[in-house]
Amino acid sequence: MRSATAHQSDLKNGIFVTPFLLVFSCLLVIPLLWGAWLSLTKADLFGPGKFVGLANYSRLFADKVFLGSIVNTLYFVLLTVPAFAVCGLALALALNRQTRFATVMRAIFFASSVLSVTVVTLIWRIVFIPDIGLLSNIFGWLGLPQVAFLSSPKLAMPAIAIATLWWGIGLPMMLFLAALQQIPGEIYEAAALDNAKRWKTLWHITLPAIRRTFVLVLIVQCVLQFQLFGQAQLMTQGGPNNASRPVVLYVYEVAFRRFDVGMGAATSQVLFALILMAALVQYVVARRKEESR
Amino acid sequence: MTGANIGMVRPRIGDVLIVLLVVLAALIMILPIAWVIALSFKLNQELKLDTNAVFHAPYTLKNYLDVLGGSNVFRWFLNSVIVSFGMTVGVLILSSLAGYGFARLRFPGRDILFVLVLFGLAVPEQAVIVARHQIFSMLKLHNTYPGLILPGLAAPFGVFLMTQYFREIPKELDEAALLDNASRFSIFWKVLLPQTIPAQATLGVFTFLGAWNDYLWPLISATKKEMYTITTGIASMQTNFAQTEGLGFLMAQAVFAGLPTLLVYLFFQKYIVAAVSGRAAR
C-alpha cells in the first residue's frame, strides 16, 4: 500500500495543470465556441456582429465556388491519402533492415518533411514552371512536348498532390517502419519453414500485423490533407478557374480578404465537420473489420 | 522484409530490383533540391535565357550576399528565431508541468480535464482560426511576438506526450522524497524533471520545427512586413515568380529558409525518428 498522504486528492495539486489549462481554454476552447457563435452572425474582423441564424450556411451552400472547393479538397484527399499509404508502406518494407544503406535512405526520405511549405512550393514551382523548369528541361532532353502543369485546370491539382507527396512521405514511412519493427521475428521464421513465398508472407503475415498502423496512417493523412492550404495558395492561387481552390483557401479569402468573418467561421465549421466525419468513418470501418475477424 | 535470412539463401532478382527502385525514388527526392541549390549559385541574367546554364560555369555567391545584405530577410530570420524559441520554451514548461500534474498527482476533476485535453488533439487549427484572429484583434496582439507565439502554446500534443512519459517513471523515485516532506514542486524540479530530458528533446525539436515552418497563422496575424517570419516573408516574395526576375536570388532565399530546419534535422535525427514512431527516445 502506498502512503495516504502522498496520494490524496487535493485541489492544490491542480496548480501544476492550471497554466496549461488557462492557455488551452483561452486559445482553443473559447475560440472554438466563439467560432461556432460567429458562424451564426454577420460580423467583420473587429468585433461581435449581429445574429443572423443559419443565413451564412445557406449562403455558403448556394455558393458555387465553395461547393467547388469541397469537391477540390475531396479530390485532393483521394489523390494523396492512398498514395501516402501505399508509397509509405512500400518504402518501409524496402527499408526495414539494419544496414547503413537503409539508414541513409530513411534519412533522405524523411528530410523533405522538415521543410516549410514556402520552401516546398518554391522548389516545386521551379520544377513545374514552363520553359525554364526542371521538368521542362527533362522533357526537352527527351524530346517530349512542353506541359504547363500549374496553369492547366486538369493538371494543377495532381501537380500539387505530387509536391505534397514529396513533402510528406517521410511520416507514413516512419510510422510503418515502427510498426514493422514490432512484429516478432518468430512469426517469419515459422513462415520461412513453411517455404512461404514473399508475397504470401506479406499478404498473410505482415499486412494483418500492421493493420492498426494502416488505419492510423489513413486517419492522420486524411486529417492533414483536408487542411490543404499553403501549397494551393502559393503554387496556383487556387486557379486556373478555381480548379485547385481548397476549402481552407476559401476560408482564408472570405474571412481575411473579404472580411466576411461570419461566413468564414461558417466555412471553417463545415471543414471541421468534414474532417471529423472522415476520421470517424475510417475509425468505425476499421473497428468493425477487426471485430468480424 | 525482416526476414533477412530469406534473402541470404540466394540473392534474388527481387532484392536487386527493390534496391534499384529505392535508389531511383531517392534520386527523385533529391533532384528538385539539387536543382534549386544549383540555381542559387547562378547569375540571374544567365538564368533568364536558359536554366540549363546551371551545368557550366560561371557560378557566383552574389545571390547569397544579396540575401544577407537585404534588410528584410535578415529581420525575418530573426523573427523566426525569436518566435520558434519562445514557443519551444513555452510548450516545454507548460507541457512538463501539466504532464506531471496529470500523471502523478490527484486533484478533483483530473480525469475529465485530461479527456478534454485529448479532445483538443482532434481540433484542427482552421476550426478556431477565424475566432482566434478576432480575439487577438481586440487584444491588439497582431503584429507582436506574443501574438505569434501564444497560439502554439495551446498544443495538447505536448501535454499528452509528457503525461505518458511521467507515468512511466518508477513510482519509488518520488515517493521517498515525498515522505521526507519535500514540496511537490521541488520533487518535480529536482527528482522527476531530470528523468524526462529525452522526452523534452523530442518535444522541443518538434515544437521548434513546427513553429519555424508554420504558415497560416503568421500569414494572417503578422501583416506588417517587419513582423513576417522567414516562412511568410519568403512566401510574400514568391508572387512575381513567373517573370523569373531574380530567379537565382529567390532560390538562394529558399536555401536560406530551408537550411536551419535541415540542420536541426541532422543534429536531432534520433529524437525526430523517436517522436514520429510514437515513442520518446531513451
Side-chain angles (χ1 to χ4, degrees):
Chain A
M1 279 305 284
R2 302 202 167 97
S3 76
T5 48
H7 293 276
Q8 248 163 20
S9 179
D10 185 347
L11 200 59
K12 265 195 296 185
N13 288 339
I15 201 123
F16 285 94
V17 300
T18 310
F20 175 77
L21 286 179
L22 270 178
V23 172
F24 182 73
S25 317
C26 293
L27 293 162
L28 205 83
V29 180
I30 292 176
L32 193 64
L33 301 173
W34 185 303
W37 162 254
L38 267 182
S39 74
L40 304 175
T41 67
K42 176 128 189 64
D44 59 29
L45 274 179
F46 307 102
K50 72 172 207 288
F51 183 79
V52 294
L54 293 173
N56 288 322
Y57 290 94
S58 56
R59 266 169 72 207
L60 204 54
F61 283 102
D63 185 349
K64 282 208 180 77
V65 178
F66 168 70
L67 295 175
S69 77
I70 289 194
V71 173
N72 291 337
T73 308
L74 290 173
Y75 178 46
F76 179 75
V77 167
L78 279 179
L79 281 176
T80 50
V81 174
F84 270 118
V86 172
C87 299
L89 180 60
L91 281 176
L93 287 171
L95 298 177
N96 183 28
R97 26 187 130 202
Q98 302 299 325
T99 61
R100 196 172 195 103
F101 173 76
T103 316
V104 172
M105 287 296 145
R106 278 182 231 167
I108 289 175
F109 286 109
F110 194 80
S112 55
S113 314
V114 304
L115 297 172
S116 68
V117 69
T118 313
V119 175
V120 170
T121 50
L122 262 179
I123 291 174
W124 281 87
R125 286 181 73 187
I126 202 63
V127 171
F128 285 128
I129 202 167
D131 302 324
I132 57 165
L134 179 60
L135 272 181
S136 280
N137 278 306
I138 293 176
F139 279 26
W141 302 331
L142 299 174
L144 293 169
Q146 296 286 321
V147 183
F149 291 90
L150 295 177
S151 45
S152 145
K154 276 212 177 96
L155 294 176
M157 207 50 134
I160 294 175
I162 288 171
T164 306
L165 193 66
W166 178 88
W167 186 20
I169 189 63
L171 179 65
M173 177 191 73
M174 290 292 195
L175 291 174
F176 281 127
L177 272 167
L180 289 176
Q181 277 155 16
Q182 308 270 310
I183 306 177
E186 299 92 64
I187 302 184
Y188 287 107
E189 277 161 34
L193 283 181
D194 289 346
N195 215 2
K197 292 276 189 310
R198 188 182 296 225
W199 287 110
K200 273 197 166 168
T201 324
L202 176 67
W203 194 251
H204 292 291
I205 299 177
T206 311
L207 288 185
I210 60 163
R211 54 179 304 131
R212 277 168 184 281
T213 305
F214 207 85
V215 175
L216 176 77
V217 166
L218 289 180
I219 292 177
V220 167
Q221 286 303 331
C222 241
V223 171
L224 284 177
Q225 304 316 329
F226 260 110
Q227 301 178 28
L228 168 66
F229 171 68
Q231 302 98 296
Q233 194 221 7
L234 292 166
M235 288 172 80
T236 61
Q237 290 89 45
N241 196 17
N242 296 326
S244 63
R245 171 168 282 102
V247 179
V248 182
L249 184 52
Y250 184 88
V251 173
Y252 171 75
E253 284 168 352
V254 167
F256 304 112
R257 286 285 159 267
R258 285 197 260 141
F259 307 112
D260 193 343
V261 171
M263 184 105 150
T267 319
S268 59
Q269 302 301 314
V270 174
L271 176 74
F272 187 22
L274 277 176
I275 293 177
L276 276 186
M277 254 157 41
L280 262 175
V281 164
Q282 291 178 44
Y283 181 73
V284 169
V285 168
R287 255 267 167 95
R288 193 165 295 163
K289 267 193 190 156
E290 200 134 303
E291 274 161 14
S292 69
R293 277 162 59 86
Chain B
M1 257 173 262
T2 339
N5 46 351
I6 300 175
M8 234 115 92
V9 185
R10 56 198 162 100
R12 292 202 276 183
I13 281 205
D15 284 315
V16 179
L17 209 66
I18 287 172
V19 169
L20 284 179
L21 279 176
V22 168
V23 170
L24 185 72
L27 280 178
I28 295 175
M29 291 301 287
I30 293 172
L31 200 60
I33 296 183
W35 187 249
V36 164
I37 293 175
L39 291 179
S40 73
F41 287 107
K42 293 298 292 182
L43 283 170
N44 294 315
Q45 301 88 284
E46 251 193 301
L47 293 179
K48 242 188 238 173
L49 306 173
D50 184 6
T51 45
N52 257 319
V54 296
F55 293 109
H56 54 75
Y59 298 100
T60 173
L61 283 174
K62 185 179 179 300
N63 296 319
Y64 286 93
L65 296 176
D66 287 351
V67 168
L68 290 172
S71 54
N72 279 332
V73 176
F74 202 71
R75 173 75 200 249
W76 298 338
F77 192 87
L78 207 65
N79 289 345
S80 277
V81 170
I82 293 170
V83 170
S84 304
F85 273 105
M87 207 187 282
T88 305
V89 170
V91 164
L92 289 182
I93 293 174
L94 292 178
S95 306
S96 309
L97 286 171
Y100 171 67
F102 281 125
R104 298 180 90 89
L105 299 175
R106 288 224 229 148
F107 51 89
R110 182 187 70 174
D111 297 339
I112 295 170
L113 288 172
F114 191 62
V115 169
L116 183 74
V117 172
L118 291 188
F119 267 122
L121 281 171
V123 179
E125 191 186 19
Q126 292 83 11
V128 298
I129 207 155
V130 179
R132 193 191 268 164
H133 182 276
Q134 209 185 32
I135 294 170
F136 275 49
S137 309
M138 289 174 201
L139 300 174
K140 303 221 178 328
L141 281 171
H142 290 309
N143 290 307
T144 67
Y145 291 118
L148 286 169
I149 293 170
L150 280 171
L153 302 186
F157 175 72
V159 174
F160 174 68
L161 188 81
M162 291 314 296
T163 305
Q164 300 287 83
Y165 205 86
F166 271 111
R167 273 191 190 139
E168 283 176 28
I169 300 173
K171 285 254 185 272
E172 295 75 37
L173 212 63
D174 45 333
E175 261 167 13
L178 254 184
L179 293 176
D180 285 346
N181 262 335
S183 79
R184 299 238 188 252
F185 186 78
S186 75
I187 294 171
F188 163 74
W189 184 251
K190 287 185 190 144
V191 181
L192 291 173
L193 207 55
Q195 303 288 316
T196 65
I197 285 172
Q200 306 281 354
T202 299
L203 179 58
V205 170
F206 255 71
T207 309
F208 185 88
L209 287 175
W212 188 276
N213 290 339
D214 193 16
Y215 179 62
L216 183 55
W217 178 254
L219 179 70
I220 63 173
S221 178
T223 48
K224 287 192 181 135
K225 224 177 177 123
E226 66 270 21
M227 284 307 292
Y228 287 171
T229 60
I230 191 92
T231 303
T232 51
I234 305 270
S236 74
M237 306 196 70
Q238 274 193 46
T239 33
N240 305 336
F241 198 101
Q243 292 96 306
T244 66
E245 292 287 340
L247 195 58
F249 180 53
L250 204 58
M251 295 303 116
Q253 290 181 339
V255 175
F256 199 72
L259 214 54
T261 51
L262 280 175
L263 287 177
V264 168
Y265 172 58
L266 278 179
F267 282 119
F268 294 98
Q269 236 198 81
K270 185 172 117 189
Y271 299 106
I272 292 175
V273 170
V276 289
S277 334
R279 59 202 144 123
R282 302 224 162 210

